[in-house]
Amino acid sequence: MNGLTRATHGIAARLRALAPGKHQRSARGAAELSVVVVAASLVAGVLFGNGVTRTAVDIADGLTWFTDDPTGEVIEVNPATGRPEARLPVGADGDQLDVAQYDGRLIVTNRTTGTLTSFDLTSILASGQQRITPGGATDVLHHGDTVFLLDRERGTIADVDPVTTEAIGEMWSSPEGIADAAIDGRGHLWAIDPQGLLTELRWSSSSQQFVVEDDRQIDHSGARSVVVGHERGVTVFGPDEGIVVQVGTGHDVVADAARISGELAVPTSSPGDLVPASSPDTGTVAIVGDGQVREVEMSAIGCEKPGRPEVFEGLVYVPCTGAGRVVRLTPDGRRAGADIEVAADDGDPDLVLDDGNLLINVPGATKGAVVHSDGTVSTIVRYDESLQPSSGGAHSLVSPPAIQPITATVTSGPAVPPTNVATTPPSGPPTEQPDTSPSTGPTGEPESPGPHETRNPSTTGNPNAPHPLQAPRTVTAAELPSGSVQVTWTHAGDPADSFTVQEEDGPVLVTVSGEERQTTVSVAPGPHRFTVTAIREGDPYETSAPSNAVNTSGRPSAVTDVVGHVSGNPDDTSAAVNVSWSPATDNGSPVVSYTVVMSDAYGTQTQTFTTTSATFTTYCQSTYCNPSPVTVRITATNAKGDGPPANATLSYDGPVPPVLPAAGKQLVRDDDTTWTGFSSAGLGTTTLTLAPPPDWVQFQGTCTWTHSGNRTGDVTTEYPCSSKRISVAIDNGPARAPDDGRFDHSILFTASNGVATVTSATYEWETEQRVLCDRCS
């Protein structure tokens, strides 16, 4: 036996909700898939072939464990005989249960009570138990003989001892939490956070920690994304905006899938070339394969709410929630034979892959079904009231110390045996302590306790009284990516009422219930060691030995001493923005970059720098570019994240344009205008004498005049602003009778400083020339 599965009642453990949307997609190294909408009511296809499938319960003993939520039991069924072999009470009636089975071991998750319990199948006795987050936040994943515990709510993945269920080594934590995770055939874990960051992890048994192999951003993925594992890589279904992205398979793809919205249900794993996902809210099953995403409209055949699908022998099996049947689909979305009918009134069908068979479990029903590798279907009895429940179940779960967890937590020092010292927590404990003074013997002298004996009045002479409270052991501290510290410990013997966690010789940082074995504390950057104190009413407090030392770091501080300036250019329309600053304090993790956001009157630019200075180029609509107001926001980043931003406003110290002269002034003397030229042809020159005001004469910008009246149109000419006389070329053309030979002309002067312009008053004059006869040359 070398496999493990999660056999979950219904689809609750894999459902996610979303708000639909559509966007263009992008993914690193991905090919675009086409999307095909398929009506499932098409003529049924022919059952075909032996496809490739990964067995979810790879058990070689021919036995399969089913959950039965209505009774709070798990049931062992023999598909070969079609009969149940054992009933194991593991919870109360109506508790939501999951099971995982491999290598002679059964791991039961009670989502209602929030407990994870491991059973030895040779004796059907519990060997380990721990508290977990209630509800659908946790899942058990495995590869070979390694078992992982995923906690979406806490954002952690831990390697756990399959016998004791205790965490081994260092947990991996996602700062933003975990939307979902899956494991591929190589044992690599793939976790996606609510912001769409997909991280590939590998467990190192030698260093007992997770190694990050890769991470990448999945565009438009959100908090309700789900992940399906393959032999290599995974497929991500993003219902938040309707996307499908496949990575790590060697043929990565990306596509829109607009109909996968509402709630999603997916298998734990599938072949990389045949990946299904159900959307109960839209009545759709999406099938990824053969370069396409096929969206099958299940509601068209009365399967209004398709449940969690499975791939078996090259076909997709889809349970119809509330309809009491399972539909078979080909990879292209056609129906592959008759539907499989189950007891609709008892519960919803749940699919379990095991030992070359696909089993259909219906919690609460008497019978289920098994689909064999050749596609034939047979009925099995899954529940028999005459079969007596095993005694190794519910009572062993709720009656510690029948379960004695084996310490499997990595620590920097040896475990410390329980002490006999009554230790008061640094702050906040009850003020009364029990009387631990020794009793007197027959001679009136105090009796001497043994070397490892604590005299406890509540237990003296009462063999059924609680044992003395023991100190926590194997306290381990591990820094999380956020900079906080995760503290874990073990505790044997009778339970404590609560635990306090404090820095060595420091105040209490947090108090947790006696059921907890792990907590997270926030501390300042620097070296830390922690102790854990067990508290129980009527007993001396018992404090652990210090944890391993951990040197924490935090996000950087804000940068300081931000200075800079803005300079323009009289010759073009650009301006330079220069800014510098003093380095941020790194708080124990080196600063890797500074992000500078520069905003001006013409827009915003963002750049990342590894130095403490930055230069931007901005563009205006004219020369002497002054883009004010100019602001900068600078943020330092280290491995822990972004520090607080520092903001500054920069001033313009570049050249300014010359002051324009007054507008509307007359620049031409009216008493000194001459006209010379060949009057017959209307060609000549008008000379204008100028008398501009002083501000026009002294203007340092550009002056031009524009002449109107020639038959060839207006002409504009640049001239020195201080000129006293200008010559204007005249081209009236010949004048013929009955014209009178008189032509009107005008001139307008303009001053420009590169940013704005002004004009003078218009000067007008008239030229007169000889009139030719109508047909004269």
Side-chain angles (χ1 to χ4, degrees):
M1 297 188 296
N2 56 3
L4 173 68
T5 188
R6 178 183 59 205
T8 307
H9 166 43
I11 62 173
R14 301 289 299 178
L15 292 184
R16 302 289 183 271
L18 82 151
K22 293 186 68 178
H23 286 275
Q24 295 297 318
R25 311 297 175 200
S26 64
R28 185 172 65 195
E32 197 76 21
L33 266 71
S34 59
V35 180
V36 179
V37 178
V38 180
S41 58
L42 295 176
V43 177
V46 179
L47 286 172
F48 64 94
N50 289 327
V52 178
T53 182
R54 275 187 64 203
T55 304
V57 183
D58 211 3
I59 303 298
D61 60 2
L63 302 176
T64 301
W65 285 88
F66 284 165
T67 59
D68 196 61
D69 295 357
T71 62
E73 297 178 352
V74 292
I75 304 169
E76 186 182 43
V77 176
N78 188 335
T81 64
R83 301 291 302 177
E85 300 276 338
R87 291 169 51 195
L88 182 62
V90 294
D93 293 354
D95 283 358
Q96 184 182 350
L97 307 172
D98 283 0
V99 297
Q101 177 186 357
Y102 86 106
D103 278 349
R105 187 152 298 280
L106 181 70
I107 300 178
V108 178
T109 303
N110 190 323
R111 300 192 180 280
T112 302
T113 62
T115 55
L116 183 74
T117 309
S118 179
F119 291 87
D120 181 354
L121 290 182
T122 59
S123 60
I124 316 185
L125 292 176
S127 63
Q129 184 184 71
Q130 70 162 291
R131 300 289 297 180
I132 60 172
T133 303
T138 57
D139 274 320
V140 174
L141 307 172
H142 102 293
H143 179 260
D145 58 358
T146 305
V147 179
F148 303 101
L149 181 63
L150 161 68
D151 191 323
R152 298 179 184 84
E153 183 173 306
R154 295 184 179 180
T156 60
I157 299 176
D159 180 18
V160 297
D161 187 316
V163 177
T164 67
T165 71
E166 292 284 348
I168 299 174
E170 184 176 311
M171 292 186 182
W172 180 80
S173 176
S174 170
E176 302 296 335
I178 299 176
D180 197 22
I183 193 167
D184 69 14
R186 300 168 300 161
H188 288 205
L189 289 149
W190 299 75
I192 190 166
D193 72 13
Q195 309 303 318
L197 181 65
L198 179 65
T199 303
E200 180 184 0
L201 302 167
R202 174 178 57 83
W203 172 251
S204 171
S205 57
S206 59
S207 62
Q208 295 196 328
Q209 63 182 1
F210 289 94
V211 178
V212 176
E213 294 287 323
D214 187 27
D215 56 44
R216 66 188 73 193
Q217 186 67 37
I218 304 299
D219 293 344
H220 311 296
S221 175
R224 295 174 178 86
S225 296
V226 292
V227 186
V228 181
H230 309 308
E231 192 59 36
R232 292 180 64 92
V234 293
T235 297
V236 177
F237 292 90
D240 298 85
E241 298 192 38
I243 63 162
V244 177
V245 178
Q246 194 171 84
V247 297
T249 62
H251 47 272
D252 294 359
V253 293
V254 60
D256 284 324
R259 291 181 61 85
I260 59 165
S261 61
E263 298 180 329
L264 294 190
V266 298
T268 302
S269 63
S270 78
D273 57 358
L274 185 56
V275 193
S278 292
S279 177
D281 282 8
T282 63
T284 301
V285 170
I287 302 176
V288 181
D290 193 27
Q292 292 181 322
V293 176
R294 293 178 172 88
E295 295 185 311
V296 185
E297 298 177 352
M298 301 296 292
S299 57
I301 59 170
C303 189
E304 300 292 340
K305 290 186 176 297
R308 179 176 59 83
E310 289 287 356
V311 176
F312 178 62
E313 296 295 338
L315 298 180
V316 177
Y317 287 74
V318 184
C320 297
T321 303
R325 58 195 173 102
V326 177
V327 176
R328 295 182 274 199
L329 300 175
T330 65
D332 60 2
R334 296 178 300 148
R335 296 177 74 180
D339 297 345
I340 303 171
E341 302 291 337
V342 295
D345 296 335
D346 293 310
D348 293 324
D350 182 43
L351 307 182
V352 181
L353 289 169
D354 181 21
D355 226 8
N357 297 313
L358 175 69
L359 295 99
I360 303 175
N361 178 35
V362 184
T366 302
K367 296 181 179 181
V370 57
V371 183
H372 303 283
S373 59
D374 61 358
T376 59
V377 181
S378 59
T379 300
I380 58 174
V381 176
R382 60 172 301 281
Y383 186 82
D384 185 352
E385 289 186 354
S386 65
L387 180 66
Q388 293 301 308
S390 167
S391 61
H395 295 295
S396 65
L397 286 174
V398 298
S399 302
I403 301 172
Q404 294 294 337
I406 300 173
T407 299
T409 304
V410 176
T411 181
S412 61
V416 177
T419 65
N420 301 316
V421 179
T423 303
T424 302
S427 64
T431 56
E432 292 186 8
Q433 295 291 330
D435 181 10
T436 58
S437 58
S439 59
T440 58
T443 63
E445 294 295 324
E447 293 183 347
S448 298
H452 295 290
E453 178 184 351
T454 298
R455 185 77 66 179
N456 190 326
S458 65
T459 62
T460 302
N462 182 3
N464 297 319
H467 296 83
L469 184 64
Q470 295 189 24
R473 302 183 183 183
T474 58
V475 180
T476 303
E479 184 187 15
L480 299 177
S482 62
S484 56
V485 176
Q486 187 175 74
V487 181
T488 60
W489 63 92
T490 62
H491 186 249
D494 287 355
D497 294 336
S498 61
F499 296 99
T500 64
V501 178
Q502 52 276 328
E503 288 204 55
E504 186 179 18
D505 300 324
V508 170
L509 299 175
V510 66
T511 301
V512 298
S513 73
E515 297 175 341
E516 300 295 331
R517 298 295 184 271
Q518 174 183 297
T519 190
T520 300
V521 294
S522 297
V523 292
H528 304 275
R529 291 166 66 95
F530 300 89
T531 60
V532 180
T533 299
I535 299 175
R536 186 172 65 192
E537 185 178 359
D539 278 290
Y541 303 131
E542 298 290 349
T543 298
S544 70
S547 71
N548 57 292
V550 60
N551 195 23
T552 63
S553 57
R555 300 186 181 190
S557 67
V559 304
T560 57
D561 303 324
V562 180
V563 295
H565 64 278
V566 184
S567 58
N569 193 322
D571 299 324
D572 60 38
T573 60
S574 68
V577 178
N578 297 281
V579 62
S580 63
W581 57 91
S582 296
T585 302
D586 63 16
N587 286 329
S589 177
V591 174
V592 296
S593 64
Y594 295 94
T595 300
V596 183
V597 180
M598 188 278 294
S599 300
D600 59 30
Y602 298 96
T604 297
Q605 300 180 47
T606 302
Q607 294 188 46
T608 299
F609 302 88
T610 58
T611 61
T612 56
S613 63
T615 298
F616 294 85
T617 300
T618 188
Y619 294 91
C620 304
Q621 298 173 350
S622 62
T623 59
Y624 296 97
C625 176
N626 180 359
S628 298
V630 177
T631 61
V632 291
R633 184 173 72 250
I634 306 169
T635 304
T637 301
N638 64 10
K640 297 303 181 185
D642 296 338
N647 300 285
T649 300
L650 306 184
S651 59
Y652 178 83
D653 62 2
V656 296
V659 178
L660 290 168
K665 301 296 183 179
Q666 184 55 258
L667 274 61
V668 180
R669 283 178 52 185
D670 195 35
D671 59 350
D672 194 11
T673 300
T674 62
W675 143 251
T676 60
F678 182 54
S679 61
S680 305
L683 300 175
T685 301
T686 294
T687 300
L688 300 177
T689 300
L690 305 182
D695 57 350
W696 279 81
V697 174
Q698 298 167 7
F699 180 58
Q700 299 299 309
T702 301
C703 291
T704 58
W705 52 259
T706 300
H707 167 232
S708 301
N710 283 349
R711 62 177 177 174
T712 56
D714 295 352
V715 175
T716 298
T717 303
E718 184 176 340
Y719 76 101
C721 299
S722 59
S723 296
K724 301 298 185 181
R725 185 174 286 102
I726 62 172
S727 296
V728 181
I730 303 298
D731 183 3
N732 296 325
R736 298 182 183 276
D739 293 343
D740 60 2
R742 297 176 182 275
F743 292 88
D744 294 326
H745 294 267
S746 66
I747 193 168
L748 182 68
F749 296 87
T750 301
S752 173
N753 65 2
V755 178
T757 61
V758 295
T759 57
S760 69
T762 301
Y763 178 74
E764 299 175 341
W765 75 96
E766 183 182 86
T767 63
E768 185 175 356
Q769 64 192 60
R770 194 175 76 180
V771 178
L772 302 179
C773 63
D774 184 29
R775 298 186 179 181
C776 296
S777 60

